[in-house]
Amino acid sequence: REGTERICSVVESIQNFSRLDDEENPATSVDRPLESSLRVARNELGPEVDVQMDIRPTAPVSISAAGLGQVFLNLLINAAQALKGLSHDDDRPRRLELRTRQEGDHVLVEIGDNGPGIDPELKRHIFDPFVSSKGDGEGTGLGLAISAEIVESGGGEIEVESTQGQGTIFRIRLPAVAEPDTRRFEVLEQSEPERRGAILVVDPEPTLGASLRRVLQSQHDVVAVSTCGEAVDLLDGSRSFDVIICDLRLRGGVGLDLFRWVEEHTPHYWERMVAMTASRATPGEKNYLEELPNPWMSKPFDINRLRAIISGILEKVEEEVQAG
């Protein structure tokens, strides 16, 4: 179980970097991208680096999770390489410090190390393109320039404070924005269902369908199929389902085919549809998902969250039955 949870965290971190900024006005909290970036950079840091974190609650900022992740990862990799550059005669413990805090209407993020520091002359041009302290073939000199551009695109600023022989701190200051609409990501409280539900799982990977059937069958009757055609046959037949959990992309169909088929042919199922996806939704798919009455899930997801969503839908179905 511990190994599986670690795999889930790594996959989630990689997904954060793969999701391009296709939101006009993103509102993102800095803590999750920072933690994801640290997981990705952990191998580069090595076990000898002591990571100290002081992550405090902050308002969201107007940069996407992918953009923040790229900034944080660049700074963490730079810190890891700086710590590796310490002399073997320097027996100080290698230390990396991550801090976040709210300062009025701004969010402050600090990433610091106790490495060898930056040469004062290099420090003056540290955010210019193609400026690098690394040797030939070890870097492009674009990481910090790109990071500065991303930070500035969100109305923020980035600065560096460094003392040779003592270490370096990169400080990012970003304007806070209003809390985002989190309805789509709301985690409903888990509750035991009053009755067994009939659930259809439609996923292109049979192993995932079998896994969901195994974990849900103690509470519900679950049928799992892997193609759009199989799902259509079941939904168009005499059997009734309370909840349909469906991946965006299925075998034998294009993205969202089953959702559109339900809209046209079995609209009474529309309120019972739950979408899930392991890949980045296109802008068109994202707009469509926003119209769904139930939260949609990004794989890998928490099974307790899925159980809670199912319970909420079953309550609605029961109310419809009682109403007549």
Side-chain angles (χ1 to χ4, degrees):
R1 182 184 295 274
E2 180 182 349
T4 302
E5 289 174 351
R6 289 180 62 189
I7 291 171
C8 286
S9 69
V10 171
V11 170
E12 181 184 11
S13 301
I14 294 172
Q15 286 178 325
N16 284 341
F17 291 106
S18 70
R19 288 168 184 152
L20 301 178
D21 183 6
D22 53 13
E23 298 181 48
E24 293 183 1
N25 296 294
T28 312
S29 295
V30 299
D31 52 346
R32 291 291 294 277
L34 185 58
E35 292 168 1
S36 295
S37 301
L38 179 60
R39 286 196 293 265
V40 174
R42 203 64 182 87
N43 188 61
E44 184 74 19
L45 289 165
E48 69 277 4
V49 176
D50 177 25
V51 179
Q52 301 179 0
M53 302 182 67
D54 181 12
I55 309 300
R56 305 182 184 183
T58 61
V61 298
S62 59
I63 300 179
S64 70
L68 288 172
Q70 187 171 357
V71 172
F72 297 150
L73 185 60
N74 283 336
L75 297 180
L76 289 170
I77 295 298
N78 278 358
Q81 293 172 344
L83 291 168
K84 287 181 179 179
L86 283 174
S87 169
H88 293 295
D89 298 330
D90 192 335
D91 58 358
R92 290 180 300 158
R94 273 59 170 165
R95 188 177 67 251
L96 175 71
E97 298 180 354
L98 310 179
R99 293 184 289 270
T100 67
R101 63 180 182 271
Q102 185 91 23
E103 287 190 346
D105 56 357
H106 283 79
V107 174
L108 193 68
V109 181
E110 293 181 338
I111 298 177
D113 64 75
N114 65 338
I118 302 173
D119 178 87
E121 182 61 27
L122 177 64
K123 178 184 168 185
R124 292 174 52 195
H125 304 282
I126 197 71
F127 297 110
D128 293 347
F130 307 112
V131 173
S132 175
S133 61
K134 304 181 182 71
D136 292 341
E138 295 184 9
T140 62
L142 291 173
L144 290 178
I146 292 171
S147 297
E149 183 177 346
I150 292 172
V151 169
E152 291 168 3
S153 72
E157 56 187 17
I158 181 171
E159 61 184 17
V160 59
E161 178 182 315
S162 184
T163 303
Q164 286 193 285
Q166 296 184 24
T168 301
I169 297 175
F170 282 92
R171 188 172 292 110
I172 301 170
R173 187 178 177 85
L174 294 163
V177 299
E179 291 287 345
D181 178 10
T182 57
R183 178 192 62 82
R184 182 159 57 95
F185 301 100
E186 181 182 2
V187 178
L188 306 174
E189 292 185 4
Q190 183 179 356
S191 60
E192 289 295 324
E194 296 183 0
R195 66 174 179 84
R196 291 181 69 86
I199 298 175
L200 175 62
V201 176
V202 192
D203 192 275
E205 293 298 330
T207 52
L208 180 60
S211 297
L212 287 177
R213 183 174 62 243
R214 185 171 61 252
V215 298
L216 295 174
Q217 64 185 2
S218 63
Q219 294 178 315
H220 307 290
D221 300 319
V222 183
V223 175
V225 297
S226 58
T227 69
C228 189
E230 290 174 305
V232 166
D233 289 342
L234 287 170
L235 295 174
D236 204 25
S238 58
R239 186 162 183 176
S240 176
F241 292 94
D242 299 306
V243 182
I244 299 98
I245 304 167
C246 182
D247 195 278
L248 292 190
R249 294 167 179 82
L250 301 174
R251 298 177 184 177
V254 186
L256 293 172
D257 265 10
L258 186 60
F259 292 86
R260 294 191 173 98
W261 184 89
V262 166
E263 264 194 302
E264 182 177 353
H265 298 282
T266 55
H268 61 284
Y269 278 133
W270 178 248
E271 297 285 335
R272 307 180 187 186
M273 298 289 290
V274 177
M276 55 183 176
T277 181
S279 56
R280 188 179 72 89
T282 66
E285 289 172 339
K286 195 168 185 180
N287 291 335
Y288 195 88
L289 289 170
E290 294 288 357
E291 298 176 4
L292 291 175
N294 300 307
W296 63 275
M297 301 178 297
S298 180
K299 300 176 181 175
F301 51 79
D302 183 350
I303 192 63
N304 289 326
R305 181 171 188 264
L306 175 59
R307 286 195 177 104
I309 293 172
I310 291 172
S311 295
I313 296 174
L314 286 176
E315 289 180 6
K316 294 179 183 177
V317 172
E318 191 65 29
E319 290 174 0
E320 293 173 3
V321 171
Q322 292 178 358

